[in-house]
Structure formats: C-alpha cells, structure tokens
Amino acid sequence: MTQLTELLYVVPAALVAIVGHEFAHGYVSWKLGDPTPKRDGRLSLNPLKHLDPLGTLCLILFRFGWAKPVQINMYYYKDKRKGVLMTALAGPVMNLILAFVAYLIVGFIIRVAGIYLSLAPYILARWLEYFASLNIGLGIFNLIPIPPLDGSKVFGMLLHNDPEALTRRISRISYLIIAVLAVTGILSVPVNIAGNFVTRLMLQVVWFIFGL
C-alpha cells in the first residue's frame, strides 16, 4: 500500500471514528439535561471541533488514540453517578457500534457479490475492515483508566464518586504517560488482545447473520 493510498484509508476512517466518539459523549450528556456540550459546540459533526493533535496522530500511527475531551457538568444529571458513567461509556460504545455496522456492510457485500470481489466492492470492503479495526482500537483504548481517556472517569466515579479524581492527581503527566506507552508499544499487547477478541466475536455474529 503506497503512502497516498494509506492516507486515503486512514484519514477518513480516523475522522469519522473521532467525530462519532465525541458526538456520542456530548449527545448523551445533553439528553441527560446538561447544556454544556451544546454550549461548547460539541454537538457537531465538524472534526475540527473534536480533534486533539497528539491523540489524532497516535490514532493514525498506532490505531488507538483520543480526542479533545467533551466538558460535562454532572450536576445537571438527576442521577450523577449513572449520568457520568453513561456519558463516559457513550464514546467507546459508539465506536463499537460503528465497527459492527462496518462489518455488517462487509458481510452484505460478500453475500451479494461473492468472495471474489470486483475492484470497487473490494476497495470499499477493505476500507470498511480498516474502519472497523480503527474503531475497535479507539473504543478499547479509551477504556484505559488514564486521563483524559474515558476509563479514568469511569474508574474515578466507581471508586471515588468523582469522575475527575485521577485527573487531579496525574493531569500534568497523563499525556506523557499515554505517549510513552503508545510509542514503546507497551499498550499494544493488551489493546490488541482485547481488540482481536472483539473482532472475532463481531465477525462470528456477522457470518452467522449472512450465512457465510
């Protein structure tokens, strides 16, 4: 795959994955009564509203990364604990949904066109497979309990009833920790193991649905 071809695969997939992830955070928080995401312009499909430069670079290079965190105000929620958990998990869940939909489309293409695809369906299927893989990586990676990843809010809320508990402790070095873990490949093993498990599970369901 040439560099130009790779960019044509990676960039659209990364942008859609990031926008879907962050939009889900903002939308769920907004539906739970919090006007903050809408006020901040985060209920948008414009990638520029959501991109974090370092997180996007990591997503393109390593297939896992992060975006600019959506600011929420949990005091608008009727049930603060439930609201924070739902909002934090909305992004990763959206990525898994996008991945599953992509695999469903691939299954449909193979079912209709057969295993030996012509050029256009082949290119589309390959992109959808890459898109699914990227979304699975993004969703799983964001469950790691390191700020600003979503897992830190889940962890803080479950253990301390405070979604920002970890952020206050290690906010100054959290991005450095993530960058080092990504560059050294330490995170690749657990993320890939979890990602492969989720991928196999999704494909088994898709193959069953389409009788492949």
Side-chain angles (χ1 to χ4, degrees):
M1 184 182 293
T2 66
Q3 290 184 340
L4 178 59
T5 304
E6 187 172 359
L7 285 176
L8 292 175
Y9 269 72
V10 174
V11 174
L15 292 179
V16 175
I18 288 173
V19 170
H21 182 103
E22 295 304 319
F23 179 82
H25 283 311
Y27 182 78
V28 169
S29 189
W30 177 63
K31 291 297 288 184
L32 290 173
D34 177 16
T36 309
K38 186 173 183 179
R39 183 199 65 199
D40 293 344
R42 301 305 296 275
L43 297 183
S44 171
L45 298 180
N46 180 359
L48 297 179
K49 296 287 187 178
H50 306 294
L51 296 182
D52 176 279
L54 180 58
T56 304
L57 181 62
C58 284
L59 182 62
I60 291 173
L61 294 178
F62 307 112
R63 295 194 184 183
F64 47 78
W66 62 94
K68 185 166 60 177
V70 172
Q71 298 301 316
I72 65 169
N73 187 339
M74 67 179 182
Y75 294 102
Y76 284 104
Y77 304 150
K78 293 180 180 179
D79 184 331
K80 297 182 182 65
R81 186 183 184 87
K82 182 180 178 181
V84 170
L85 292 175
M86 287 178 63
T87 302
L89 293 173
V93 169
M94 173 59 77
N95 288 126
L96 296 180
I97 291 173
L98 289 173
F100 185 66
V101 170
Y103 280 135
L104 279 175
I105 298 173
V106 172
F108 177 77
I109 291 173
I110 295 175
R111 181 64 177 172
V112 172
I115 297 176
Y116 301 103
L117 303 176
S118 58
L119 183 59
Y122 174 78
I123 292 175
L124 176 59
R126 286 294 304 274
W127 183 83
L128 287 168
E129 288 175 348
Y130 182 86
F131 175 70
S133 174
L134 195 74
N135 271 279
I136 290 171
L138 181 63
I140 291 173
F141 180 74
N142 271 272
L143 293 175
I144 296 173
I146 301 175
L149 304 181
D150 304 321
S152 68
K153 293 181 175 59
V154 174
F155 183 85
M157 202 65 193
L158 291 177
L159 267 69
H160 306 284
N161 208 34
D162 178 5
E164 303 302 324
L166 288 177
T167 300
R168 284 194 290 274
R169 287 174 171 79
I170 61 171
S171 61
R172 293 183 180 180
I173 61 171
S174 58
Y175 284 97
L176 178 61
I177 293 173
I178 294 172
V180 170
L181 291 175
V183 171
T184 57
I186 295 174
L187 286 177
S188 297
V189 175
V191 171
N192 287 338
I193 290 174
N196 289 336
F197 173 78
V198 172
T199 299
R200 287 195 301 269
L201 182 62
M202 286 186 179
L203 287 176
Q204 286 176 358
V205 174
V206 170
W207 295 164
F208 175 79
I209 290 173
F210 291 103
L212 299 173

